Amino acid sequence: MFLFFYFSHLFCNFAALIVIKHSTDMPIKTTLYSLLMLLLPLTALAQKVTITASYNVREDDVLKPMETSGDFEGEAPLDVSFAPVCDGIGDHTPAYEWHFRKEGATQDLLVRYDEQTQYTFTESGAWIVTLKTRLTDIGADLDSTSIKVTISESKLEFPNAFSPNDDKINDIYRAKQPDGVKSIVEFHAYIFNRWGQKLYEWTDPYGGWDGNYKGNPVKEGVYFVLVKARGADGREYNIRKDVNLLRTYIQSETNSSSQ
């Protein structure tokens, strides 16, 4: 349909140029130049721009870089870098508009005009990132392109025991692994002994306590954890529970199996 209207417009303008040429004796070079200016926007039909998104995903406590040109999912807070990939633009001069909008919303959250841009997603839901491109030297708008970023709902669960005995298994008291923590944007945890003395605190939802106080191992026994956190979906967490520190539990199990 676009081509039909474009060529109809082109034909009418070309016919007008011919009439003007014969009626005013316009120089042929001027006529050809005007025709060329009519044809220039047609070259935009061969141009194409797509979006590349770069971000990190956590696998086995390691952040691994990812890159995609399609829709993807992640956990908040998610830092994503967006860049245009141009095909067939050649020496033309592109100008970019990045539009960020939550799916279903009627207005953009923000608009940016950089060639490349970065955004940190801190709210759950689906987000539509749209790139609009204009070739400024010929005044042609290319087809816009979009990518959808879906941020998961939050989750935060803690165990009631751990065994810091240097066997590399359950040595750190932290959120349940591998799926006990998702899309947590605010976090603060504290460890107390039975007298209410604070032994440790941390603010990384993937961090934890190694069972030490001022560099020295604490005794086996029952301790207390307090966690205050907020998810990307607005959910508030206020976790209070006992923590059983068992230094010899797995060792005893191993020794008994070897006898």
Side-chain angles (χ1 to χ4, degrees):
M1 184 64 70
F2 172 77
L3 288 176
F4 173 78
F5 285 111
Y6 179 83
F7 281 112
S8 297
H9 174 73
L10 182 64
F11 176 78
C12 292
N13 281 277
F14 178 68
L17 284 173
I18 297 300
V19 171
I20 294 173
K21 165 66 176 65
H22 286 284
S23 62
T24 64
D25 198 27
M26 180 188 297
I28 188 64
K29 289 184 179 181
T30 304
T31 305
L32 291 175
Y33 174 79
S34 300
L35 179 59
L36 177 62
M37 295 307 294
L38 289 173
L39 287 171
L40 277 177
L42 184 61
T43 63
L45 298 175
Q47 323 297 339
K48 183 180 180 181
V49 177
T50 56
I51 299 173
T52 294
S54 303
Y55 59 102
N56 292 323
V57 296
R58 184 179 294 273
E59 294 182 5
D60 298 326
D61 280 341
V62 177
L63 291 177
K64 297 183 177 180
M66 301 288 289
E67 186 174 284
T68 183
S69 58
D71 301 342
F72 64 97
E73 300 179 358
E75 300 175 11
L78 184 65
D79 295 322
V80 185
S81 296
F82 298 95
V85 178
C86 303
D87 183 19
I89 284 184
D91 294 330
H92 293 304
T93 305
Y96 302 104
E97 284 186 16
W98 296 93
H99 295 254
F100 292 78
R101 178 178 299 191
K102 193 164 188 180
E103 190 174 51
T106 58
Q107 293 183 342
D108 291 331
L109 173 68
L110 60 89
V111 179
R112 291 177 174 169
Y113 300 93
D114 304 314
E115 179 178 355
Q116 301 181 13
T117 190
Q118 184 273 341
Y119 185 75
T120 301
F121 295 91
T122 59
E123 185 178 335
S124 296
W127 299 83
I128 308 300
V129 181
T130 300
L131 175 59
K132 297 181 180 180
T133 307
R134 180 177 179 82
L135 303 182
T136 58
D137 54 327
I138 60 174
D141 292 319
L142 306 187
D143 290 339
S144 62
T145 182
S146 297
I147 191 171
K148 181 164 74 171
V149 183
T150 303
I151 303 300
S152 69
E153 294 184 346
S154 68
K155 182 179 181 180
L156 187 61
E157 296 177 349
F158 275 79
N160 56 14
F162 75 121
S163 54
N165 52 20
D166 297 326
D167 66 352
K168 308 301 181 184
I169 301 174
N170 204 27
D171 282 335
I172 304 296
Y173 183 76
R174 59 180 181 172
K176 291 182 178 180
Q177 301 297 314
D179 299 319
V181 54
K182 289 184 178 180
S183 289
I184 298 298
V185 295
E186 293 181 10
F187 178 90
H188 207 142
Y190 309 83
I191 296 290
F192 300 92
N193 62 18
R194 59 182 178 174
W195 294 284
Q197 179 186 12
K198 184 177 69 175
L199 304 181
Y200 190 73
E201 64 180 294
W202 68 101
T203 56
D204 179 0
Y206 294 96
W209 180 43
D210 62 2
N212 291 335
Y213 176 62
K214 293 185 177 180
N216 298 312
V218 300
K219 296 180 180 181
E220 282 193 340
V222 179
Y223 296 84
F224 185 78
V225 64
L226 169 63
V227 180
K228 293 183 177 293
R230 182 175 65 84
D233 49 6
R235 181 179 176 183
E236 300 284 344
Y237 294 86
N238 190 8
I239 300 173
R240 302 167 181 263
K241 64 191 307 181
D242 290 339
V243 179
N244 293 283
L245 191 156
L246 308 171
R247 293 193 180 278
T248 60
Y249 178 73
I250 295 181
Q251 289 180 349
S252 299
E253 214 173 43
T254 302
N255 292 336
S256 61
S257 64
S258 62
Q259 293 177 351

